[in-house]
Amino acid sequence: MSKYIFVCGGVISGVGKGTATASMALLLKARGFRVTAVKIDQYLNVDAGTIRPTEHGEVFVTDDGMETDQDLGNYERFLDQDILSINYMTTGSIYLTVIQKERNFEYDGEDVEVIPHIPEEIVRRIKRAAHQTKSDFVFIEIGGTVGEYQNLVFLEAARMMHFEAPQDVLFTLVSYLPVPAMIGEMKTKPTQQAARFLFEAGIQPDIILARSEGPIDEKRREKISLFCNVPKKHVISAPDVKSIYEIPLNFEKEGLAEVILNTFHVKARRKNLNQWTAFVHTTKSVTRPVKIAIVGKYFQTGDFILSDSYISVIEAVKHAAWHFKRKPEISWLGSEIYEKDPRRIRELKKYDGIIVPGGFGSRGVEGKIKAIEFCRKQKIPFLGLCYGLQLAVVEFARNVCKMPGAHTTEVNPKTKYPVIHTLPEQLANIREKRIGGSMRLGAYMCDVKPGTAAFKAYGTKLITERHRHRYEVNNDYREALEMGGIVFSGINSERNLIEIGELKDHPFFVGTQFHPEFKSRPLHPHPLYREFLKAAISHHS
Ligand code: GLN
């Protein structure tokens, strides 16, 4: 029988519910339990694939090809295990199932209603995830904050599960305690109100994670305990941290794993957090920097810079840098400036390595191509991810293979040299506007050619990596590009698709059609990122 831990947010969003969920799960995993984490999003979008990254952050892709919220990436990174599509749902996906069932007469003439049919479908999915992953503990993170209208059906589902089996379900409220500048004192009232929202939904929180700038003091702990109706030991201090990877260790100090196990009357087990502790120690003690720039476009949202758009790329760089005991210094460079002011490109010299990440559409593309050209010529270590590979091929075709105006048909459908073109099965999708969930998604096999940089990284001839694209390198130009000097070191043999391209006579110049960052883990940096960072570290030394 699985135990279920719901994680809801109070007061404001963005205080780290996802990392809190992943951290709690990690503590139980470190005690030998089987754990998993489910993410619920409130959007009507059926998956995250159709949401702009500047709106909602990176779209994470699972092995089985679902486009999900970035929190699934956090779960995978913290738990060092693959999480599949069954662990992700949105309001839209739930309504879609219920309405399809209704159309198929599966409700047998019943009057189909939001309550109870929507929560029932939510419960069914949570239990299916528990069953399929055979987990002892299932964490379920409910997106947004309590009190939002959109949250209600999910809280209702949680309440129903608790009503059915109170001994198997507990509730965690991740709240926020502001310290308003003009008062200079940590305020608990918003947390009390958040708890009240849960009471209204028929839910008593069992644990309160008190997020704040600093640790909470005894007085606040007592107040929250008394007014929110939870034992004092169940109020967990969760101050801001420099690195998210410290969070599990902070929770451990607060005795959070024991609180969960005791509440469920599950016997405590010995823990093993040695590797994680050593890893966190490294992240805090490294001092020698390695400077990596990401040349992309999804940074700006209003007056703010949003690094969330490339969160997996950033984490993958960090994992690899820490592996070499270096301090990762990551800069975000908007590629459009190189179109407006081409001389600015020389600033790339300052960096030890350049990444051109995934992307869509035409904005900023010429700037990225200029950056790639600069890395090729100046021998700056370069890693191209998906669009990054495609644009590296475009640059090479134009400037080395003498194909002026070569392009991807995504940007210029009429180019004389369509070196990147639409995957055949995608033509109809684009024409008929079947956009959602229709890209080439998820894990596919790739043969790696011995004697190449890719092979040196992976050390094996067969790999699987995760994809998210509609375009590919056009095989009609393969020979010409190879003649020019590109080495296609990774091929999907099932369909003869090019998956990796690289250059010889360069310290490191590799582009991948897939997204290796989705598989990088703190304790197991991704081999390509590792080799890229290795080259970056030697670049200026
Ligand atoms: N826009 C490109 C494609 O669809 C690249 C996608 C990506 O970078 N993920 O093929």
Side-chain angles (χ1 to χ4, degrees):
M1 245 330 238
S2 306
K3 304 278 184 203
Y4 299 91
I5 298 114
F6 284 92
V7 183
C8 315
V11 186
I12 51 171
S13 64
V15 289
K17 257 190 331 262
T19 42
T21 304
S23 300
M24 286 191 273
L26 168 77
L27 293 184
L28 296 187
K29 182 167 181 170
R31 287 165 165 81
F33 292 106
R34 280 187 69 98
V35 299
T36 195
V38 170
K39 175 74 197 276
I40 297 178
D41 266 337
Q42 323 180 50
Y43 310 100
L44 277 178
N45 303 64
V46 173
D47 56 42
T50 51
I51 314 178
R52 213 177 293 124
T54 41
E55 193 98 357
H56 189 57
E58 165 193 275
V59 176
F60 189 77
V61 181
T62 59
D63 247 358
D64 60 348
M66 183 168 225
E67 297 168 286
T68 75
D69 180 75
Q70 53 177 310
D71 274 324
L72 263 75
N74 281 323
Y75 304 161
E76 288 205 350
R77 288 187 280 271
F78 277 67
L79 298 178
D80 202 356
Q81 71 193 34
D82 290 344
I83 304 273
L84 295 178
S85 56
I86 193 162
N87 283 32
Y88 183 62
M89 64 184 105
T90 66
T91 303
S93 73
I94 290 153
Y95 272 80
L96 193 65
T97 306
V98 170
I99 291 170
Q100 265 161 5
K101 272 195 193 167
E102 183 278 325
R103 292 288 81 186
N104 298 344
F105 206 62
E106 286 176 45
Y107 290 105
D108 231 356
E110 239 182 283
D111 172 357
V112 184
E113 302 190 63
V114 172
I115 309 281
H117 294 100
I118 297 295
E120 273 172 11
E121 173 60 20
I122 297 167
V123 172
R124 194 184 66 80
R125 292 205 193 181
I126 294 171
K127 289 192 173 166
R128 201 176 50 165
H131 180 74
Q132 283 198 11
T133 57
K134 297 189 183 62
S135 298
D136 301 313
F137 294 95
V138 181
F139 288 80
I140 307 113
E141 180 190 347
I142 301 184
T145 41
V146 295
E148 283 175 55
Y149 167 76
Q150 319 193 64
N151 242 316
L152 286 176
V153 283
F154 299 115
L155 295 181
E156 179 61 5
R159 186 198 62 78
M160 279 162 53
M161 283 184 72
H162 180 261
F163 181 70
E164 198 182 282
Q167 70 286 0
D168 293 335
V169 176
L170 72 78
F171 299 99
T172 307
L173 174 65
V174 182
S175 194
Y176 189 70
L177 287 88
V179 186
M182 68 289 190
I183 306 175
E185 184 197 320
M186 191 184 277
K187 300 307 256 180
T188 63
K189 194 60 66 64
T191 298
Q192 298 172 36
Q193 277 160 351
R196 202 144 298 152
F197 277 127
L198 283 177
F199 300 155
E200 275 174 23
I203 291 171
Q204 164 65 52
D206 298 281
I207 297 167
I208 295 189
L209 300 182
R211 287 278 300 109
S212 192
E213 252 175 74
I216 55 166
D217 58 13
E218 234 3 68
K219 198 170 151 209
R220 264 102 201 145
R221 206 187 283 262
E222 270 164 20
K223 245 185 168 173
I224 295 174
S225 160
L226 181 65
F227 294 128
C228 301
N229 215 19
V230 297
K232 237 172 76 181
K233 264 174 68 184
H234 292 210
V235 180
I236 306 291
S237 176
D240 287 350
V241 281
K242 268 229 200 78
S243 148
I244 52 171
Y245 299 115
E246 287 174 46
I247 299 169
L249 301 181
N250 285 357
F251 285 177
E252 181 63 23
K253 275 189 223 136
E254 291 276 301
L256 182 51
E258 276 69 36
V259 168
I260 296 173
L261 294 174
N262 291 342
T263 312
F264 280 131
H265 303 290
V266 172
K267 251 200 14 238
R269 289 191 195 166
R270 263 223 338 237
K271 61 165 189 272
N272 182 353
L273 278 167
N274 301 345
Q275 269 190 310
W276 194 269
T277 309
F279 160 73
V280 171
H281 176 74
T282 304
T283 67
K284 289 165 91 167
S285 56
V286 287
T287 52
R288 286 178 74 189
V290 51
K291 294 189 180 136
I292 304 296
I294 301 178
V295 179
K297 71 167 180 182
Y298 301 118
F299 302 129
Q300 204 81 25
T301 146
D303 288 342
F304 300 93
I305 293 281
L306 186 85
S307 50
D308 266 12
S309 309
Y310 300 111
I311 182 86
S312 291
V313 176
I314 292 165
E315 294 308 311
V317 168
K318 290 181 184 169
H319 302 157
W322 289 324
H323 174 80
F324 293 110
K325 303 276 184 282
R326 290 294 182 124
K327 184 172 175 209
E329 277 185 15
I330 301 170
S331 307
W332 293 274
L333 308 174
S335 60
E336 281 162 299
I337 49 165
Y338 307 129
E339 296 168 7
K340 290 188 197 110
D341 183 2
R343 281 167 314 173
R344 286 279 297 271
I345 202 78
R346 300 193 61 77
E347 74 184 13
L348 295 183
K349 276 205 155 171
K350 288 195 299 225
Y351 301 97
D352 302 318
I354 306 289
I355 293 179
V356 173
F360 294 85
S362 57
R363 185 162 68 83
V365 155
E366 290 304 323
K368 289 183 193 172
I369 293 174
K370 283 199 171 67
I372 294 168
E373 180 184 6
F374 194 76
C375 291
R376 179 173 61 78
K377 291 185 174 160
Q378 301 290 324
K379 307 242 185 271
I380 304 171
F382 166 80
L383 182 61
L385 308 165
C386 201
Y387 217 10
L389 161 77
Q390 296 175 356
L391 297 177
V393 170
V394 168
E395 189 278 318
F396 198 80
R398 286 183 189 175
N399 300 330
V400 179
C401 301
K402 304 278 175 291
M403 301 181 198
H407 224 316
T408 161
T409 55
E410 179 173 359
V411 178
N412 180 6
K414 298 212 173 76
T415 169
K416 194 166 161 212
Y417 303 102
V419 287
I420 307 296
H421 71 164
T422 323
L423 281 154
E425 76 275 17
Q426 293 295 335
L427 288 167
N429 285 341
I430 297 170
R431 204 175 42 238
E432 286 154 38
K433 287 208 152 200
R434 280 196 304 259
I435 303 300
S438 65
M439 284 188 234
R440 181 170 179 243
L441 291 168
Y444 287 96
M445 301 276 213
C446 169
D447 293 333
V448 185
K449 198 165 161 187
T452 60
F455 189 83
K456 191 173 155 228
Y458 285 104
T460 172
K461 278 202 263 192
L462 190 63
I463 55 162
T464 91
E465 291 283 4
R466 297 184 198 169
H467 298 69
R468 181 173 186 249
H469 63 117
R470 281 186 217 284
Y471 298 82
E472 59 163 339
V473 180
N474 186 344
N475 275 322
D476 291 348
Y477 291 90
R478 190 148 155 182
E479 228 182 277
L481 291 162
E482 280 174 335
M483 296 271 285
I486 293 194
V487 176
F488 291 118
S489 50
I491 304 289
N492 169 279
S493 59
E494 253 173 341
R495 295 186 50 192
N496 194 23
L497 298 178
I498 289 169
E499 304 279 31
I500 313 177
E502 57 181 77
L503 293 182
K504 286 181 287 203
D505 307 323
H506 192 289
F508 190 93
F509 191 104
V510 177
T512 59
Q513 186 53 77
F514 47 80
H515 291 275
E517 56 275 13
F518 291 145
K519 291 179 75 166
S520 177
R521 308 274 166 83
L523 304 179
H524 305 285
H526 189 282
L528 285 179
Y529 278 84
R530 195 193 60 223
E531 289 305 299
F532 167 62
L533 258 291
K534 196 172 171 186
I537 288 165
S538 334
H539 181 57
H540 276 128
S541 51

